[in-house]
Amino acid sequence: MAVDLRPWSVHDAPALLLARRTTPDLDTQFPDADLRDEAQAREHISRFLGFGDRAKNWALVDDGVAVGNVGLTAIEFRHGTAWASYWLTRGARGRGLATTALASVSSWAFGVGLFRLELGHRVNNPASCRVATAAGFAAEGIERQKLRYGVERFDVETHARLATDPAPVLPALLQVSV
């Protein structure tokens, strides 16, 4: 089984549609996305899963199919910071893929000159917390009612990893394509 990280392509539209249909909790990742067909999925990839100077989104590809995303946004080189995020389809979870992908992208980011990577997860999402912690991100605090999904607000635990922090001990990192 080959697993890699590469920029999203409009050719990943069927995989994005499948992810949305089979993993209902991803609705929070796509709150305003209308993903009913491949054309809409291609548009979403083009507009929101881009790969540029201030935002980079990698498709986590398992045996040729995109099963998740690891992104860096708000990339800022003056202070050397970025915001990290990740998601996986239900079928790709529980195998350490998100942890390995996040650690791999972090290593890449530090290699190109970023110093501090931040992320946040809803406090009612312990799986996301385990991914962040296992990828070397230290918890820094709770931001009360930071996120809103629909009419409900959620507290968020913020984590960060610095270039000077010890790298997590993982079997291997993934190749990060740019």
Side-chain angles (χ1 to χ4, degrees), residues 101-112 117 161 173 176:
L102 179 59
S104 300
V105 165
S106 299
S107 179
W108 175 87
F110 297 143
V112 298
L117 303 179
R161 182 170 166 202
L173 295 180
V176 179

Side-chain angles (χ1 to χ4, degrees), residues 41-109:
R42 285 191 299 275
E43 175 71 15
H44 184 82
I45 290 167
S46 296
R47 291 186 66 209
F48 299 107
L49 295 175
F51 204 85
D53 292 339
R54 299 230 343 116
K56 297 188 184 307
N57 285 281
W58 287 270
L60 177 58
V61 180
D62 185 8
D63 270 345
V65 177
V67 297
N69 181 72
V70 177
L72 293 177
T73 57
I75 297 170
E76 200 276 329
F77 280 97
R78 179 173 183 268
H79 297 290
T81 60
W83 184 262
S85 61
Y86 45 89
W87 59 260
L88 286 179
T89 61
R90 181 184 314 265
R93 295 176 184 174
R95 301 180 359 214
L97 294 176
T99 298
T100 303
L102 179 59
S104 300
V105 165
S106 299
S107 179
W108 175 87

Side-chain angles (χ1 to χ4, degrees), residues 13-62:
L16 183 60
L17 281 176
L18 183 63
R20 180 74 183 269
R21 288 183 186 136
T22 62
T23 313
D25 64 348
L26 287 182
D27 286 346
T28 58
Q29 300 294 330
F30 310 110
D32 300 321
D34 190 5
L35 298 176
R36 288 176 286 161
D37 60 36
E38 285 189 28
Q40 290 168 325
R42 285 191 299 275
E43 175 71 15
H44 184 82
I45 290 167
S46 296
R47 291 186 66 209
F48 299 107
L49 295 175
F51 204 85
D53 292 339
R54 299 230 343 116
K56 297 188 184 307
N57 285 281
W58 287 270
L60 177 58
V61 180
D62 185 8

Side-chain angles (χ1 to χ4, degrees), residues 153-164:
R153 297 203 70 89
F154 295 89
D155 291 350
V156 171
E157 184 172 56
T158 302
H159 292 245
R161 182 170 166 202
L162 307 179
T164 54

